[in-house]
Amino acid sequence: MNKRLVEVVQGRRGFSAGAVGLASAALAAGAGLLSGRASAETVNKTGMIKIISILARKDGESMEDFVHHWETVHAPLVYAVPGVLKYTLSIVESSSTRTDGVAPINVEIDGLAELWFKDRASLHAAASSEAIKHVLADGTKFVGSEVDLIAVEKVVIPRTV
């Protein structure tokens, strides 16, 4: 994990995720503001791009209220964002750390949102859409802080469940 990401998440109360991460990651990619090991230009030139958003709910907000807003108000706004091929919400029920010498990241995560795009052009189109403005505005109502990751998913075991 890069140093900037660790600085962002260290000391934060609880992390959760939503579609707001799409906008921030896409806007950062479009503006060339990505930090860390890869830029939007080097992440993936031809394949699908996945945005993974990790967000902290606002201080004082209950998990129940956070999840309710995320699922019933925020998530439906993503339908209007062009180019989103898949959108998932993962609500964390518990977490653990390793005990074999791998240091933990001191952060609790309430959930993760994942959004898939066909390519960088689709990601950029989403970032410049009117619909993303509504997603961002709504995110400020229930999200306290966030970290967004742009990644290329590599399936290692293609099992169906």
Side-chain angles (χ1 to χ4, degrees):
M1 176 169 279
N2 71 43
K3 181 180 175 186
R4 181 176 172 270
L5 177 58
V6 171
E7 290 170 352
V8 169
V9 299
Q10 280 182 335
R12 297 292 169 95
R13 174 191 53 67
F15 270 68
S16 27
V20 153
L22 153 71
S24 297
L27 291 171
L33 300 175
L34 292 176
S35 63
R37 293 179 256 184
S39 72
E41 304 309 318
T42 61
V43 169
N44 188 2
K45 296 193 184 265
T46 58
M48 287 183 50
I49 292 180
K50 180 179 183 177
I51 305 296
I52 304 166
S53 297
I54 304 169
L55 303 159
R57 65 183 188 257
K58 288 189 171 190
D59 286 337
E61 182 174 28
S62 73
M63 183 65 166
E64 293 77 20
D65 289 345
F66 176 83
V67 171
H68 181 264
H69 187 99
W70 186 19
E71 292 179 333
T72 64
V73 178
H74 193 75
L77 294 174
V78 178
Y79 279 105
V81 178
V84 176
L85 297 177
K86 183 177 179 181
Y87 177 50
T88 63
L89 308 179
S90 298
I91 300 164
V92 175
E93 294 181 355
S94 66
S95 63
S96 64
T97 58
R98 292 175 59 168
T99 59
D100 61 355
V102 175
I105 296 174
N106 296 320
V107 62
E108 291 183 30
I109 299 173
D110 297 321
L112 305 166
E114 298 177 277
L115 296 103
W116 284 260
F117 296 89
K118 178 181 176 184
D119 52 29
R120 286 184 293 125
S122 298
L123 176 69
H124 294 295
S128 62
S129 71
E130 283 297 312
I132 204 64
K133 292 177 184 177
H134 298 291
V135 172
L136 285 170
D138 182 66
T140 65
K141 296 175 184 175
F142 72 108
V143 175
S145 58
E146 72 176 270
V147 174
D148 300 307
L149 309 169
I150 297 178
V152 176
E153 183 174 88
K154 301 212 180 229
V155 177
V156 178
I157 301 173
R159 295 182 183 158
T160 57
V161 189

